[in-house]
Amino acid sequence: MTSQTFILELPIKADDSQSRTIAKKFEYGRMLYNATLGSGLGRLTQMRQDPEWRRACEMSKGKERNELFRRLNRKYRLTEYDFHADIARHREGT
């Protein structure tokens, strides 16, 4: 069952200088997001080629399977903290 959703959009009252600053910051955020996403998707592709990942997919659901997936996520740096580190690296330009 879905509920109704209403969205109210209000224009930002900003002068040209502020509009340019906001546009630059949004563009920087978009580039940072895409760089981080690209890094993560590359590592995800590598993980899915690992025979351990295939084995984990074939296992029945349970603690052992979850632990194997957690280990793989750590091995291929796909945890939330790894993504925070990626963002920091991309922000520094390294």
Side-chain angles (χ1 to χ4, degrees):
M1 181 164 147
T2 61
S3 61
Q4 293 182 344
T5 302
F6 300 94
I7 298 173
L8 172 65
E9 293 184 15
L10 300 172
I12 296 174
K13 293 182 180 180
D15 61 28
D16 288 341
S17 174
Q18 291 170 329
S19 294
R20 283 192 301 274
T21 300
I22 291 169
K24 285 180 187 177
K25 290 185 181 215
F26 274 124
E27 178 63 13
Y28 179 73
R30 184 191 67 79
M31 292 169 60
L32 189 59
Y33 174 83
N34 286 339
T36 304
L37 182 62
S39 298
L41 287 174
R43 292 194 305 263
L44 178 65
T45 301
Q46 289 177 339
M47 181 182 75
R48 287 183 174 168
Q49 293 173 356
D50 190 323
E52 286 292 306
W53 184 79
R54 288 192 198 103
R55 187 170 72 82
C57 289
E58 292 170 356
M59 292 172 69
S60 59
K61 292 183 179 183
K63 289 182 180 181
E64 189 178 322
R65 178 182 190 232
N66 291 343
E67 181 54 38
L68 183 52
F69 276 130
R70 266 198 277 319
R71 244 189 352 261
L72 286 166
N73 283 339
R74 285 191 300 269
K75 176 181 175 183
Y76 286 95
R77 299 182 314 114
L78 292 170
T79 67
E80 180 181 353
Y81 298 107
D82 293 319
F83 282 107
H84 286 293
D86 287 347
I87 289 171
R89 250 191 357 270
H90 290 305
R91 194 179 305 130
E92 294 166 5
T94 57

